Amino acid sequence: MRACRSYLSLMARSTLYKELTLFVVMAVVELALFIPKMEKQFSGVVGIGENGEEIYSMYSLPVDEIAENTHLHWVWIAALVLLSLILILTAGQWRDYTLDRLGISRRQGNLLYGLYGTLSFLLLWAFQAALVLVMCLLYRQNLPAEQVTEQTVLLSIYRTPFFFSMLPLAGWARWVTNACMMAALGLCAASGARLRRLGRAPMASIGLILVLFWSGFGGTGVSNLDGDAGFFVVAFCFAAAAVARMTVWDSEDNGEGEPYERLDNQV
């Protein structure tokens, strides 16, 4: 157990600051895209006066149009890609003697890194959901007082596909789908890191990212059993392939075998 904690601590020291930097950059980019569009005012005819003149009024874009025009879901996809690269490239620099020194088998190391990768992607999703809530609160604050109700934030989330995809509220199927997708990304990143250490291409991780990019994951706002089932099946298949690659077939890699005797019992 102590060796596992040491290995997890090594992962955190290697990637945590990079991940936090990614979180900050994602927040800055999304808010920089959202706030100017939110504050922009337009004029339109709202009625006809007694003398036949047109009555104009200022208004802001609806929140769903703002999110669509700023393409926030592509920022989210880019963050998924960058986090995958951080996890793959960072772990890809490690060598097997790190595991040998800690007395951890290759399979244990792979699965621990898969667990760490899953937690990293879950944190990224949680941070994105928090950003969605912040943007909805900012939007409500920018509305005229007479248009603000107790349901403004909830309605903003429900009517905006990207917002609802990240913060599904009562859409339990989307909660499950997102969690499975984050787990699949974490496991694929761990598998990709292992392959990179062996000088091979991280095909599972690349394939899953391409599927998410092609489908615009997070931007569709699909919240029905058919749509979410498709994403769930994709996540399951890629996660199963990644786990199998790190466990069943790991011993077939050149240079693989049982770890050497622990070199430092104090670790």
Side-chain angles (χ1 to χ4, degrees):
M1 183 62 68
R2 189 175 181 181
C4 293
R5 289 199 302 267
S6 297
Y7 193 54
L8 290 171
S9 177
L10 175 62
M11 298 175 200
R13 289 198 302 269
S14 301
T15 63
L16 185 58
Y17 291 112
K18 298 181 182 71
E19 292 177 13
L20 291 177
T21 300
L22 173 61
F23 290 6
V24 172
V25 171
M26 184 177 73
V28 170
V29 171
E30 290 190 4
L31 292 176
L33 291 172
F34 183 82
I35 292 177
K37 286 284 188 180
M38 177 191 69
E39 294 179 340
K40 191 173 183 180
Q41 297 288 313
F42 300 88
S43 62
V45 178
V46 295
I48 304 296
E50 295 180 356
N51 298 325
E53 73 278 7
E54 295 179 338
I55 301 175
Y56 288 84
S57 177
M58 302 301 294
Y59 67 94
S60 301
L61 284 176
V63 65
D64 54 331
E65 290 189 26
I66 296 174
E68 182 178 357
N69 293 341
T70 51
H71 305 291
L72 295 178
H73 68 284
W74 292 121
V75 180
W76 163 244
I77 291 288
L80 294 178
V81 173
L82 291 175
L83 182 54
S84 294
L85 290 175
I86 289 172
L87 293 171
I88 291 172
L89 297 179
T90 300
Q93 296 174 350
W94 300 345
R95 295 295 180 263
D96 287 340
Y97 64 75
T98 303
L99 297 176
D100 297 336
R101 190 170 184 271
L102 293 172
I104 298 176
S105 70
R106 303 322 188 259
R107 291 182 178 86
Q108 288 177 320
N110 292 341
L111 295 178
L112 282 173
Y113 197 65
L115 172 63
Y116 179 80
T118 297
L119 293 175
S120 297
F121 278 102
L122 287 173
L123 284 175
L124 182 66
W125 172 32
F127 186 75
Q128 179 63 80
L131 279 177
V132 165
L133 184 58
V134 167
M135 285 186 279
C136 288
L137 291 172
L138 291 173
Y139 179 76
R140 184 184 67 175
Q141 185 177 358
N142 190 63
L143 289 174
E146 63 273 12
Q147 297 182 19
V148 176
T149 68
E150 294 181 355
Q151 303 298 320
T152 298
V153 173
L154 293 179
L155 292 175
S156 297
I157 294 173
Y158 271 114
R159 70 184 297 179
T160 308
F162 174 66
F163 288 177
F164 185 73
S165 181
M166 293 297 99
L167 194 58
L169 300 177
W172 64 268
R174 175 57 65 161
W175 285 107
V176 173
T177 299
N178 285 356
C180 292
M181 194 62 71
M182 297 306 104
L185 284 165
L187 292 170
C188 286
S191 177
R194 183 65 187 153
L195 290 175
R196 186 174 182 273
R197 288 197 297 273
L198 296 169
R200 303 176 187 175
M203 297 306 298
S205 186
I206 294 173
L208 182 53
I209 288 294
L210 288 176
V211 169
L212 297 183
F213 182 84
W214 174 78
S215 62
F217 179 69
T220 59
V222 175
S223 184
N224 55 67
L225 292 180
D226 291 337
D228 288 323
F231 281 124
F232 180 86
V233 170
V234 168
F236 178 83
C237 291
F238 277 93
V243 171
R245 184 64 190 83
M246 293 188 294
T247 56
V248 178
W249 299 312
D250 191 70
S251 61
E252 297 179 4
D253 294 326
N254 294 329
E256 292 296 291
E258 292 301 317
Y260 299 113
E261 183 179 354
R262 185 191 300 268
L263 300 179
D264 186 358
N265 292 326
Q266 301 302 316
V267 176

